[in-house]
Amino acid sequence: MRLHRAAALIAACVATCTGAAAQEFQLEDVPAAASVPIAQIKPRTVIFADQRNDKLADSSTGLIPFDDWARSRPVQRRFLSLFPSFVEPTLNQQTKLKLSVYQAEARFRLPRPAAALDLSRYANVAFLEQIDPAVKHRPITAGDVVPNKDAGAAHNRVPNRRWCEDAKAICVQSRYMFEGKIPAGIQLANKLREESKKPIPDFIEFQSEMMLVMQPHLAELPSLTGLDSTVTGGLEQNIFWVNQVIQFGKLLAVLQQHPTEREAAIATVYILIAVRNDVLNKQKEYSNTPMLRNLVPAQLLMGNSSFNSGDSLSAGLPKYARSRIKAIADMMERE
């Protein structure tokens, strides 16, 4: 009798575990998210694309020069830059800070009408904690925002207002401690650096503003997604200050009614990270030092170093983007 009961319990556990696994979203890599017909998007499947094989991407880094991206893709620049008029900043009134971008886009189907899904549920710190538990957050106000008060970061100021002064905005300061072998590698790099240079931090700290996209901008989003259906919601996070490597970042989630199914919605999510080229140019410096070859910035950023690990930023941008978007899809599916 006990054996039969144990067998029944094991069978129940297996069935439950199998069912739970089946509920998780799976990622499917495609050349471009918009290239997949909506009717072909399977349930609990994220259609994912990034630009690493794009014709504009630098073959040595997998990133696209910001100027090339902005010039050739004006619609993406309008919606995915830190703000539409953002340009590469000029430092000390003479040196232009060159940037490169990593862009990922994803699309998935949700089994409810778009009007039944409320993106305001995700405009909070709890949402950020769930999509990447490795990052720790604390609320900040407009008075804490670095670009609002620091002339050296003025190029990241949003026009016509200050970051975080909108009462509807959620603003946070976030910190991510590098994982795996990266902290030890940074410690070694700091020992080999000249004493006059500032040490490399073993963490990334950033400030961001998160809020819902409001009209009239909400109605303009189909020009970005390429999907001709009603937009019922948009949520964006703008990362406007980072302590190293990254100049700015953007997360934009767009919710639209499925064009042919009344009881379904389509979500499109974009992640864009703009990286400083002066950091990428350290590639030669590190690659010529055997002990630091695994810390070549471009390789670390793109997940091509043996030091990459985990699912967060230490994994590199491609895996980080996949993990974050999958977490968003899982949360929306459970709503």
Side-chain angles (χ1 to χ4, degrees):
M1 181 65 71
R2 290 181 180 178
L3 288 175
H4 287 300
R5 180 178 296 177
L9 290 173
I10 292 173
C13 177
V14 169
T16 302
C17 294
T18 303
Q23 297 302 312
E24 293 183 358
F25 272 81
Q26 303 300 314
L27 268 71
E28 180 180 331
D29 287 283
V30 297
S35 68
V36 179
I38 297 301
Q40 294 182 15
I41 299 179
K42 302 173 185 176
R44 293 187 291 277
T45 298
V46 174
I47 301 299
F48 179 91
D50 64 19
Q51 87 306 317
R52 285 182 293 170
N53 296 319
D54 192 282
K55 61 182 181 181
L56 295 178
D58 186 306
S59 60
S60 65
T61 65
L63 300 167
I64 299 177
F66 178 87
D67 273 349
D68 292 346
W69 174 79
R71 181 175 57 254
S72 64
R73 293 164 190 176
V75 175
Q76 292 183 357
R77 176 191 182 182
R78 175 186 174 192
F79 291 102
L80 301 181
S81 284
L82 187 59
F83 44 84
S85 61
F86 180 89
V87 296
E88 291 176 322
T90 300
L91 307 179
N92 304 320
Q93 299 182 338
Q94 56 183 0
T95 304
K96 193 172 185 179
L97 179 62
K98 303 299 291 181
L99 304 174
S100 295
V101 301
Y102 171 81
Q103 181 184 323
E105 57 184 40
R107 182 165 284 171
F108 50 92
R109 181 185 183 279
L110 295 167
R112 280 180 295 283
L117 298 163
D118 183 9
L119 289 185
S120 66
R121 295 184 55 183
Y122 308 115
N124 50 56
V125 173
F127 170 73
L128 296 176
E129 290 174 340
Q130 288 186 63
I131 62 175
D132 190 352
V135 182
K136 307 306 176 185
H137 312 275
R138 64 177 178 85
I140 58 173
T141 66
D144 302 313
V145 171
V146 174
N148 287 351
K149 58 185 180 181
D150 186 346
H155 42 263
N156 275 19
R157 291 176 184 170
V158 64
N160 305 322
R161 69 177 181 90
R162 299 199 307 161
W163 291 114
C164 301
E165 69 178 0
D166 192 310
K168 298 177 182 178
I170 303 297
C171 288
V172 295
Q173 180 145 335
S174 309
R175 175 175 285 213
Y176 170 72
M177 302 297 298
F178 286 117
E179 302 171 87
K181 299 178 182 178
I182 296 178
I186 291 175
Q187 186 177 21
L188 176 59
N190 284 331
K191 289 181 179 179
L192 298 175
R193 285 168 69 88
E194 298 176 10
E195 292 185 1
S196 59
K197 293 184 179 180
K198 292 182 179 180
I200 304 169
D202 62 356
F203 61 89
I204 287 186
E205 193 162 39
F206 54 96
Q207 295 180 337
S208 65
E209 175 189 84
M210 184 167 57
M211 61 191 307
L212 296 175
V213 181
M214 308 302 291
Q215 298 290 9
H217 303 297
L218 197 64
E220 299 168 350
L221 287 172
S223 63
L224 172 66
T225 65
L227 181 60
D228 186 17
S229 67
T230 303
V231 178
T232 59
L235 177 68
E236 67 176 354
Q237 178 190 18
N238 287 295
I239 300 173
F240 47 73
W241 175 81
V242 189
N243 69 324
Q244 62 169 328
V245 183
I246 295 169
Q247 184 65 24
F248 73 85
K250 167 90 77 171
L251 167 68
L252 174 62
V254 183
L255 194 61
Q256 294 177 263
Q257 176 59 38
H258 194 292
T260 60
E261 298 181 31
R262 294 181 57 184
E263 298 301 316
I266 297 294
T268 308
V269 181
Y270 301 88
I271 290 178
L272 185 125
I273 303 292
V275 181
R276 296 169 58 118
N277 282 8
D278 57 353
V279 175
L280 296 178
N281 290 338
K282 291 179 180 178
Q283 181 166 350
K284 294 180 181 178
E285 173 187 334
Y286 287 163
S287 61
N288 292 331
T289 305
M291 290 182 292
L292 298 180
R293 285 176 182 168
N294 288 316
L295 280 180
V296 171
Q299 292 183 7
L300 272 175
L301 280 168
M302 300 307 288
N304 297 323
S305 168
S306 63
F307 277 19
N308 290 118
S309 62
D311 295 314
S312 191
L313 287 165
S314 292
L317 295 178
K319 188 170 183 180
Y320 168 72
R322 283 170 168 79
S323 298
R324 200 173 187 195
I325 289 171
K326 182 178 179 295
I328 291 172
D330 286 334
M331 289 178 65
M332 289 184 174
E333 171 83 2
R334 293 194 301 266
E335 182 179 327

